Amino acid sequence: MTPAPETGDLIISSYNDPLTPIVICMVPLGVTAAVVLVFIKEKPPPPPSNTTF
């Protein structure tokens, strides 16, 4: 018993339709994050302290 071809299209569209606005909103956020990360300077870690507990 195989499902009708329309069933596959229905399942694909039921996932595609809600995800499209999410992806459209996340693309500018990802680009903005990438641009911000370019300008962040890397700092070396502090030297280890020689204190013992």
Side-chain angles (χ1 to χ4, degrees):
M1 192 161 130
T2 59
E6 298 86 24
T7 305
D9 293 338
L10 180 65
I11 293 171
I12 291 171
S13 68
S14 68
Y15 278 100
N16 188 30
D17 292 343
L19 289 176
T20 301
I22 294 171
V23 171
I24 289 173
C25 291
M26 294 306 287
V27 167
L29 180 64
V31 170
T32 303
V35 169
V36 167
L37 286 174
V38 168
F39 295 106
I40 293 178
K41 296 194 185 284
E42 184 177 356
K43 294 191 299 187
S49 62
N50 293 330
T51 60
T52 57
F53 294 105

